[in-house]
Amino acid sequence: MTETLAWLVDIPSETGNETRIRDAIQARLGHLACTAVASSLVVGEPSSQSVLLVGHLDTVPLQGHVGARIDGDRLHGLGATDMKAGLAVMIHLLEDLGTDTAVGLFYAGEEGPLAGNQLVPVLDAVPALLGARAAVVMEPTDRAVEVGCQGVVNARVVFEGRAAHSARPWLGVNAVTRAGRFLARMDLLEPEAREVAGLEFKEVVSVTRAAGGVANNIIPAMFDLNVNYRFAPDRTTEDAVARLSVLCADADGFEVSDTSPAAYPQADHPVFVALAAAADASVAPKQGWTDVARLAERGMPAVNFGPGETGLAHKPGESVRISDLGWAYDSLASVLTG
């Protein structure tokens, strides 16, 4: 599988440019039933006994060296851990076991805006996928089985002022410094533990972007912030929006820009129980959002499980333990053949 992973890493597939890697995987697995949907690919014909193996084809933009490099038990390269290692495992499972018990769903657009994520269009184009037994999303999970996932709210928060010459600031109102108390309060927020189904999710609120001012000699009349809220899966999206609006009540403007639902943990599903046992893995909450949530919205039981370390995703110098590939493959093969 190491050669397969190096091959995948050597194919650039930043978000919006997944067609080349989709075509390469389709050519390799062409002896199996393949259905292309936009820049995505379904391999196999789903049935009620199938387990969906779900992996995104795209990576974040390049931040380090180009191409795959092996150093000891680690393979370095863009997307190595998130999530081309998972794709490599998927490819070998489909090649070795066929598609009677597993179906591969390779999709584009996961790392970009939600509107460009092709998972739902693929599910709409191949509705039989939703008749499968369960789904495994091949995100890196630090050798654990990660159940559920957090939801997300992003909101534009605005502080208003009045422009003036910076030599006479008393003639204006500085929108940036008006936000000072709010920003200080945001800085003091601690993660809030919230137990769901016996698992501890950490809710967090963060300011992730800020923009204000038009020139060095003008008192800024507006200060725009993006506030990002990761909420536990026992909250609805509506509850999360209401809570965030209260936290941002000091602002002059509050507008939700996008939301993604949470997914409630389903650790007791027979496929996931068997997977945790086969992997000798702990069951942990997913601290973050994944497409497990979008599958759950469609009534599909889904779990996060794959090679790689979450802490290395999206970082320069990304890498994956080569031994993780065999661990993930053997665990899934045991469940699929058992």
Side-chain angles (χ1 to χ4, degrees):
M1 278 181 288
T2 305
E3 294 80 5
T4 298
L5 176 55
W7 170 67
L8 292 168
V9 169
D10 285 341
I11 303 174
S13 59
E14 295 179 16
T15 304
N17 294 287
E18 300 95 337
T19 303
R20 180 181 167 192
I21 194 169
R22 188 276 314 273
D23 290 347
I25 294 171
Q26 184 170 3
R28 177 163 171 166
L29 299 178
H31 60 291
L32 303 171
C34 293
T35 303
V37 179
S39 299
S40 303
L41 183 69
V42 175
V43 180
E45 298 176 352
S47 72
S48 61
Q49 297 305 308
S50 300
V51 173
L52 296 185
L53 303 176
V54 183
H56 63 80
L57 296 167
D58 59 325
T59 69
V60 296
L62 182 66
Q63 300 176 82
H65 63 84
V66 176
R69 176 176 60 84
I70 296 174
D71 183 7
D73 186 43
R74 301 200 74 89
L75 187 146
H76 299 255
L78 178 61
T81 199
D82 187 16
M83 57 181 294
K84 291 187 175 181
L87 299 182
V89 171
M90 288 171 61
I91 289 169
H92 279 266
L93 287 168
L94 294 167
E95 286 180 329
D96 297 345
L97 305 181
T99 57
D100 287 341
T101 58
V103 173
L105 199 172
F106 302 84
Y107 69 107
E110 193 270 350
E111 298 288 11
L114 195 62
N117 185 313
Q118 292 185 14
L119 177 61
V120 167
V122 173
L123 296 175
D124 288 341
V126 189
L129 289 168
L130 293 172
R133 189 178 178 200
V136 177
V137 178
M138 302 288 294
E139 293 283 355
T141 56
D142 299 291
R143 292 208 171 200
V145 174
E146 294 186 335
V147 295
C149 74
Q150 292 174 303
V152 186
V153 177
N154 281 294
R156 181 190 179 212
V157 175
V158 178
F159 286 84
E160 296 174 351
R162 186 171 66 252
H165 197 297
S166 63
R168 294 175 290 279
W170 59 85
L171 297 179
V173 176
N174 193 313
V176 172
T177 54
R178 275 200 64 227
R181 285 189 295 274
F182 171 79
L183 290 171
R185 192 168 69 253
M186 291 293 104
D187 188 52
L188 294 173
L189 287 177
E190 296 286 343
E192 182 178 328
R194 194 170 177 91
E195 186 173 307
V196 181
L199 299 166
E200 184 178 277
F201 289 83
K202 291 182 172 65
E203 293 197 323
V204 287
V205 180
S206 306
V207 177
T208 55
R209 285 191 300 103
V214 295
N216 289 344
N217 59 355
I218 298 176
I219 299 300
M222 185 171 290
F223 189 37
D224 273 281
L225 306 168
N226 186 81
V227 180
N228 177 272
Y229 176 26
R230 303 294 178 130
F231 60 92
D234 61 340
R235 293 190 195 273
T236 66
T237 302
E238 292 74 20
D239 290 341
V241 169
R243 183 166 189 255
L244 186 59
S245 68
V246 171
L247 287 173
C248 299
D250 292 347
D252 298 305
F254 176 87
E255 180 183 359
V256 174
S257 53
D258 65 74
T259 64
S260 299
Y264 200 86
Q266 294 184 300
D268 58 352
H269 190 283
V271 169
F272 308 150
V273 171
L275 182 57
D280 191 23
S282 62
V283 176
K286 184 61 181 178
Q287 182 68 25
W289 185 89
T290 73
D291 274 311
V292 160
R294 304 187 89 189
L295 290 161
E297 274 192 308
R298 297 297 187 96
M300 171 62 65
V303 73
N304 304 284
F305 177 83
E309 296 143 278
T310 56
L312 296 179
H314 299 190
K315 285 190 174 183
E318 181 180 359
S319 67
V320 65
R321 283 187 300 257
I322 294 170
S323 55
D324 273 13
L325 300 174
W327 165 80
Y329 176 94
D330 291 342
S331 303
L332 285 163
S334 174
V335 172
L336 294 171
T337 57

